[in-house]
Amino acid sequence: MTARRRVGILGGTFDPIHIGHLHIAQCALHDLHLDDVIYVPAGSPPHKPDQPLTSGALRLEMIDAAIDGIAGLKSSDIDLHGAAPSYTSVLLERFRARHPDTELWFIIGSDSLHEFHTWHRPTGIIELARLAVVERPGWPIGSLTERPDVPGLARSVDRIGSVPIDLSATVIRKRLAQGLPVDWLVPPRVLDLIQEARIYREELDQ
Ligand code: ATP
């Protein structure tokens, strides 16, 4: 009998992708013995309705530039063309329908675990995938998995070891708007794309 393929899905805005996103994917690949981690940029993130977004095509292009040539890291545009908003439960259902024999993890930072109970159909999500949670500075995992309103959450979580990286795409956008360097916070080819497209030149969001 052949082993089932083991896949981690890393959903997010990726506006832009940064080294935090790259490090957590590598840690999940390692700890969970995954075959692949797939970056899935959201077309319309439901929990960031007011944030002005770079086009999905350019966010995907930055992801592809960042992961080019790295074994085990892939991307998918599956969530860029669906009906808005981009619900994780719907994404996982679509992925599950296409790949019924795959073992699935949805990879999240601990900040996302804090608000997981507010997501659309959280119980449905953990019926479709396990959660791979990576600690993000300032967001201790602690007893977060004990939530009576999301039955089964605690036993659906795999904690991933990592070097906590205190970095967000918001910080990257702010630094660029202020003319500050972001070298090595994003891969060099991502920085090239940012400069070519002349994005993040103004501070637009919070
Ligand atoms: P923004 O600052 O625009 O909100 P972000 O840096 O938080 O963006 P997202 O695209 O929203 O990035 O994140 C996608 C996923 O990656 C989320 O689950 C988030 O928790 C996780 N993540 C992002 N940055 C880190 C980090 N530095 N450490 C651990 N997890 C992270």
Side-chain angles (χ1 to χ4, degrees), residues 11 13-14 18 21 48 109 111-112 136 165 167-170 173:
T13 320
F14 305 111
H18 55 69
H21 298 129
K48 296 180 183 173
D111 57 315
S112 302
R136 199 166 177 176
I165 298 182
L167 179 64
S168 65
T170 304
R173 294 192 300 273

Side-chain angles (χ1 to χ4, degrees), residues 76-143:
S76 167
D77 65 358
I78 186 173
D79 213 16
L80 287 180
H81 309 298
S86 308
Y87 289 129
T88 298
S89 56
V90 176
L91 163 66
L92 292 174
E93 271 163 13
R94 292 171 69 199
F95 193 90
R96 167 69 64 221
R98 287 189 192 184
H99 307 280
D101 288 329
T102 299
E103 278 189 78
L104 273 186
W105 281 260
F106 192 72
I107 304 168
I108 55 174
S110 52
D111 57 315
S112 302
L113 185 63
H114 271 258
E115 56 180 35
F116 184 73
H117 64 286
T118 68
W119 288 14
H120 183 63
R121 298 190 54 236
T123 316
I125 294 174
I126 56 176
E127 281 166 8
L128 291 160
R130 293 187 62 75
L131 292 183
V133 181
V134 189
E135 187 131 341
R136 199 166 177 176
W139 301 95
I141 297 177
S143 57

